[in-house]
Structure formats: structure tokens, C-alpha cells
Amino acid sequence: EPLQYWGWWALAPQGIYFLEAPSSSRWAKVRVKFLDLASRRITELATLEKPVNQSIPAICLSPDGRHLVYLQLERAGSDIMLVENFH
């Protein structure tokens, strides 16, 4: 089920890194996990302190497989601006 979000997983030579969030809350803490394809074991690597947007790609593995990058939300909001004499 955690692999259902596009961009929430990254393929590595030995397995799959993925993000997993409890379905109970949109703002629940997301966990970073690794599925070892040989042993079929899942290992929890970290728990993220900030939420992750489910609608955008959020995880990427470097080409050499040494670095895992993830995207998290620092804040959400909007700004409204008035532009006068716009052509």
C-alpha cells in the first residue's frame, strides 16, 4: 500500500526505498523504509519530523546509491497581491 503514491519510492540495486504514512491522518509522521528484495525484509530507517505532500514526487536516490533525498513541507500558505496598471 505505501507504494501507491507516485514518487514516494526509489528503486535501488538491492531493493526499494519508500515513504510510508499512516492512512489515518494527512499530517501523520512519514517513515522512511527499505525493502530488501533478496530477504523480503522491510527496515525502518527514519521518521520525518515534517509532513510530505502526497501529490508530488517526494523521494529520490542518487545514481551511486549513497544518498537518499526527500521533500518535506516547511509551511503551507498563499499570498495575494494586487498589481495595478498591469498590461
Side-chain angles (χ1 to χ4, degrees):
E1 187 175 324
L3 301 178
Q4 69 183 326
Y5 299 120
W6 178 77
W8 271 45
W9 53 272
L11 188 60
Q14 303 82 11
I16 301 171
Y17 290 94
F18 64 97
L19 302 178
E20 181 180 69
S23 59
S24 60
S25 171
R26 180 179 167 193
W27 301 107
K29 295 207 176 196
V30 174
R31 294 179 299 280
V32 180
K33 295 188 174 187
F34 179 74
L35 168 62
D36 184 301
L37 295 175
S39 67
R40 294 187 171 181
R41 286 192 167 167
I42 295 175
T43 306
E44 187 169 326
L45 304 175
T47 300
L48 306 182
E49 291 298 316
K50 301 196 177 179
V52 176
N53 189 331
Q54 296 175 354
S55 63
I56 58 175
I59 192 171
C60 182
L61 185 65
S62 66
D64 64 5
R66 295 180 55 210
H67 304 281
L68 188 67
V69 178
Y70 63 89
L71 179 72
Q72 68 183 16
L73 296 174
E74 289 293 322
R75 69 178 181 93
S78 299
D79 293 324
I80 297 175
M81 301 173 74
L82 173 63
V83 179
E84 294 185 34
N85 300 320
F86 181 75
H87 299 281

